[in-house]
Amino acid sequence: MPPQDSAVMAGTLTQHGSPSPGYTSNSAVPLPAITQTNSRDKWSKKMDFLLSVVGFAVDLGNVWRFPYICYQNGGGAFLIPYILMAIFGGIPLFYMELALGQFHRTGAISIWKHICPIFKGIGYAICIIALYVSFYYNTIIAWALFYFYSSFSTILPWTNCDNVWNTPDCTNYFGVDNVTWTNSSKSPAEEFYTRNVLEIHKSSGLRNVGGVRWQLMLCLFLIFTIVYFSLWKGVKTSGKVVWVTATLPYIVLLILLIRGATLPGAWRGVEFYLKPQWEKLLETSVWVDAAAQIFFSLGPGFGVLLALSSYNPFNNNCYRDAIVTSLVNCLTSFVSGFVIFTVLGYMAEMRKVRVEDVAKDKGPSLLFITYPEAIANMMGSTFFAIIFFAMMITLGLDSTFGGLEAIITAVLDEYPDQLAHRRELFVLCLVLVCFLGSLSTLTNGGAYVVKLLEEFGVGSSIIAVGFLEAIAVSWFYGINRFSNDIQAMLGKAPGLFWKVCWVVISPAFLAYIIVSSMLKAPPLSLFDYQYPDWSITVGYIVGFSSFMWIPIYMVYKLVWTPGSLKQRLAVCLRPERTLPDIPADGLNMPIIP
């Protein structure tokens, strides 16, 4: 880390702030003055940081994944495993990453020399996974931008079956009596999505994905242009952009919630969403889904929390930040369920079918078929379509900002001499790589590629990375040393609850998800397309291509470290430095020989 300036927070750090709930009271420990690095960027305001964290954690998955998983796994009964998994697994990991980033003030690669050097491959794996996410996630935002543009019409194009892309199977039941809905029937919204936006009918599958859709490529170019100019100057610019992208979704959700509650049949949807099925709690899959949902929703392990918190002041209350932002994330997921299911209840009322018959769609289909279909038949449909897709775009952009900032911070901190003064150029090259990597998802069969990357590019890889990160910090770096780090920042050591979670419960939580996902691997399909066996093999190779850098770096580190095997292990497992320019014994930490 660069030399430190003389602006100090002198005295004992236990004097800063009032005791926070959740911490045990220890006697004041005299600590040395802690200095801030002068050259590192800092957040202009505390709210810039909080909105960035909330914007990253609250993404499209909160709107499409949580409501579906909730009703599928017992409705209101699902909230019990969800809350328990959040308390004992998700929030402790979230807090751990915020504290690590704030204390060590560096990105996901170089932080490991402060923790346990042999695990440095975790940082490289995180960056590769973030790249894979950018290859498909921004394409979903591009789809939303296509819809946003298409919404500026007095009659929304997915309202009727009179368009050039429609087929004889197109069936419009809104405002029409005596319509028979069969298994082959397709709604106007479904045909707009599959035959006009994706043009997936021109692709026979992954062997023939077809050509690139220039309309989607233009949309993606605009998305990456916004991303570049939001990130090129660092947290000074991205911290301002999130005031719009992180707050707009909540305004829109409130509007849609009020509108949904006034629709006929809305309460049928709410009842279906929350009606508890207590017997579901005896099924292992329900607990696995709760654990996976909270992990992917909060986002520990992606390196984003490390990066964002590394720009905080040293004595910022990261404990309070973790609790507040986690609660906001979970409550957003819960409220999003009402927004979705009031509309599904309305659709069931209009179709004269059960709610479960219209709640079959999940993932992007819920946002690009089911919800637009309902909006198209509301009064003021154009207005609601515009704000809904504006919300989707902003929800997606926040998460893209976070994911790419994790890569940028990690690489710039690892290679400061070469890249420290070339951030704008590096960000441009990164955005260009992400754009080129996304081209396969813009083809006629691009949706098949998106699904494959979503399942295998992130999936088990990021959970395994999170597991190793938790083990490395709690067991190798040491829970006592980590607790001392937090005490140096906040003036209070973490209580027994947090220590037990970090050492035992959180790693077990992640191991449980990994084992369960390996045992339960359902066939992969999208629409009527069943993924062939060779594509599943390709998926596993993609997933392993990020994780493999962890064992590769371990072998490299052991081979190139001089000495006997015992000496090499000692060097590779020992932090190179705990905090630059500050003696470890001055911080009342164990001295590292």
Side-chain angles (χ1 to χ4, degrees):
M1 196 174 285
Q4 298 169 330
D5 65 12
S6 58
V8 297
M9 296 166 284
T12 60
L13 290 182
T14 51
Q15 296 172 351
H16 287 279
S18 58
S20 300
Y23 291 103
T24 56
S25 296
N26 292 344
S27 57
V29 181
L31 296 173
I34 303 296
T35 62
Q36 291 281 18
T37 53
N38 196 32
S39 60
R40 189 173 186 80
D41 278 350
K42 301 178 184 67
W43 296 103
S44 300
K45 297 177 183 177
K46 175 65 175 284
M47 280 302 295
D48 292 359
F49 165 70
L50 290 177
L51 288 174
S52 295
V53 173
V54 169
F56 160 70
V58 177
D59 67 348
L60 294 170
N62 291 71
V63 179
W64 83 46
R65 191 179 292 116
F66 177 84
Y68 176 81
I69 287 178
C70 186
Y71 91 76
Q72 187 186 43
N73 290 290
F78 176 75
L79 296 177
I80 294 175
Y82 180 76
I83 291 170
L84 289 175
M85 290 297 180
I87 292 173
F88 292 101
I91 296 176
L93 291 168
F94 193 88
Y95 178 22
M96 172 187 280
E97 277 215 4
L98 287 182
L100 285 171
Q102 183 171 306
F103 184 82
H104 296 288
R105 296 177 59 74
T106 187
I109 298 176
S110 52
I111 195 173
W112 290 100
K113 64 187 173 188
H114 306 314
I115 298 174
C116 189
I118 200 169
F119 284 99
K120 190 175 181 179
I122 289 176
Y124 292 109
I126 286 172
C127 291
I128 294 170
I129 291 171
L131 268 182
Y132 289 158
V133 172
S134 73
F135 290 166
Y136 76 85
Y137 193 80
N138 294 288
T139 296
I140 298 175
I141 309 174
W143 296 345
L145 183 57
F146 188 101
Y147 269 85
F148 180 74
Y149 170 77
S150 301
S151 298
F152 287 89
S153 172
T154 52
I155 299 176
L156 296 175
W158 57 88
T159 303
N160 54 60
C161 298
D162 303 327
N163 304 286
V164 293
W165 57 80
N166 291 128
T167 68
D169 289 330
C170 183
T171 305
N172 187 8
Y173 55 87
F174 277 90
V176 181
D177 295 327
N178 301 320
V179 171
T180 302
W181 188 267
T182 66
N183 290 333
S184 63
S185 296
K186 307 290 184 183
S187 69
E190 182 175 352
E191 292 205 342
F192 177 81
Y193 176 54
T194 58
R195 299 181 63 84
N196 186 45
V197 179
L198 302 180
E199 291 191 352
I200 203 167
H201 61 286
K202 295 182 179 178
S203 167
S204 59
L206 288 172
R207 286 191 181 277
N208 177 27
V209 293
V212 173
R213 298 264 293 121
W214 69 266
Q215 299 93 330
L216 294 180
M217 186 168 67
L218 179 59
C219 289
L220 188 67
F221 178 79
L222 292 174
I223 292 296
F224 274 121
T225 301
I226 295 171
V227 169
Y228 174 73
F229 286 108
S230 298
L231 294 177
W232 69 324
K233 294 293 185 182
V235 295
K236 299 291 188 192
T237 52
S238 63
K240 297 297 178 286
V241 175
V242 292
W243 280 84
V244 175
T245 57
T247 56
L248 180 63
Y250 288 96
I251 298 171
V252 176
L253 279 175
L254 179 61
I255 295 171
L256 294 175
L257 179 62
I258 295 171
R259 181 68 184 106
T262 62
L263 293 171
W267 293 107
R268 286 179 60 190
V270 172
E271 182 184 7
F272 181 76
Y273 173 44
L274 294 179
K275 184 180 179 181
Q277 302 172 43
W278 301 111
E279 67 278 4
K280 286 277 191 178
L281 296 180
L282 300 177
E283 298 178 14
T284 306
S285 62
V286 173
W287 294 83
V288 174
D289 285 346
Q293 171 61 25
I294 197 66
F295 178 81
F296 285 109
S297 180
L298 291 176
F302 284 87
V304 178
L305 303 175
L306 286 174
L308 297 180
S309 62
S310 72
Y311 300 106
N312 273 334
F314 184 83
N315 65 340
N316 172 66
N317 193 336
C318 56
Y319 166 76
R320 183 176 58 204
D321 294 346
I323 299 299
V324 170
T325 51
S326 298
L327 286 176
V328 168
N329 178 278
C330 295
L331 287 173
T332 303
S333 296
F334 183 62
V335 172
S336 296
F338 288 96
V339 173
I340 295 296
F341 274 91
T342 51
V343 167
L344 293 182
Y346 165 64
M347 290 182 63
E349 187 82 5
M350 294 297 101
R351 284 192 190 182
K352 296 179 176 58
V353 295
R354 297 177 303 170
V355 177
E356 50 263 43
D357 292 331
V358 295
K360 294 181 295 184
D361 289 330
K362 59 180 179 178
S365 295
L366 185 63
L367 299 184
F368 292 110
I369 297 176
T370 310
Y371 210 90
E373 183 179 340
I375 286 176
N377 294 278
M378 294 179 187
M379 186 178 295
S381 58
T382 298
F383 168 74
F384 287 111
I386 289 171
I387 64 170
F388 176 72
F389 290 110
M391 178 189 75
M392 286 181 59
I393 292 167
T394 53
L395 279 173
L397 282 173
D398 284 334
S399 297
T400 292
F401 294 160
L404 293 187
E405 185 60 58
I407 300 175
I408 295 164
T409 300
V411 175
L412 264 58
D413 286 345
E414 178 65 11
Y415 306 103
D417 296 337
Q418 297 88 347
L419 299 173
H421 302 294
R422 298 183 178 90
R423 180 185 172 101
E424 293 91 342
L425 180 60
F426 176 74
V427 174
L428 179 63
C429 292
L430 176 63
V431 167
L432 184 61
V433 168
C434 293
F435 180 78
L436 294 175
S438 303
L439 290 180
S440 63
T441 65
L442 303 176
T443 57
N444 301 128
Y448 300 134
V449 182
V450 168
K451 180 77 170 178
L452 193 71
L453 284 172
E454 184 182 13
E455 290 290 327
F456 294 101
V458 187
S460 298
S461 302
I462 196 65
I463 301 172
V465 164
F467 171 75
L468 290 178
E469 182 181 309
I471 292 294
V473 173
S474 300
W475 295 6
F476 289 89
Y477 185 64
I479 195 63
N480 291 330
R481 183 186 277 127
F482 182 51
S483 297
N484 285 337
D485 293 348
I486 294 176
Q487 185 173 2
M489 294 187 293
L490 304 183
K492 295 290 180 182
L496 180 62
F497 167 78
W498 297 105
K499 293 180 181 180
V500 171
C501 284
W502 288 327
V503 173
V504 180
I505 299 178
S506 294
F509 160 84
L510 294 172
Y512 177 60
I513 303 175
I514 295 169
V515 173
S516 300
S517 63
M518 290 174 65
L519 295 176
K520 183 193 72 172
L524 196 62
S525 64
L526 181 66
F527 302 120
D528 297 324
Y529 177 70
Q530 295 292 329
Y531 281 70
D533 291 339
W534 67 266
S535 68
I536 305 300
T537 303
V538 170
Y540 282 121
I541 292 172
V542 170
F544 184 69
S545 68
S546 57
F547 185 80
M548 70 180 185
W549 296 105
I550 300 174
I552 286 175
Y553 187 84
M554 287 179 173
V555 173
Y556 162 79
K557 186 71 174 174
L558 283 171
V559 169
W560 286 95
T561 300
S564 65
L565 180 60
K566 184 177 180 181
Q567 290 171 330
R568 293 181 186 190
L569 282 172
V571 171
C572 292
L573 296 175
R574 184 175 60 204
E576 293 179 13
R577 48 183 181 173
T578 301
L579 190 65
D581 303 331
I582 299 177
D585 56 344
L587 286 173
N588 287 308
M589 297 180 190
I591 298 178
I592 302 167

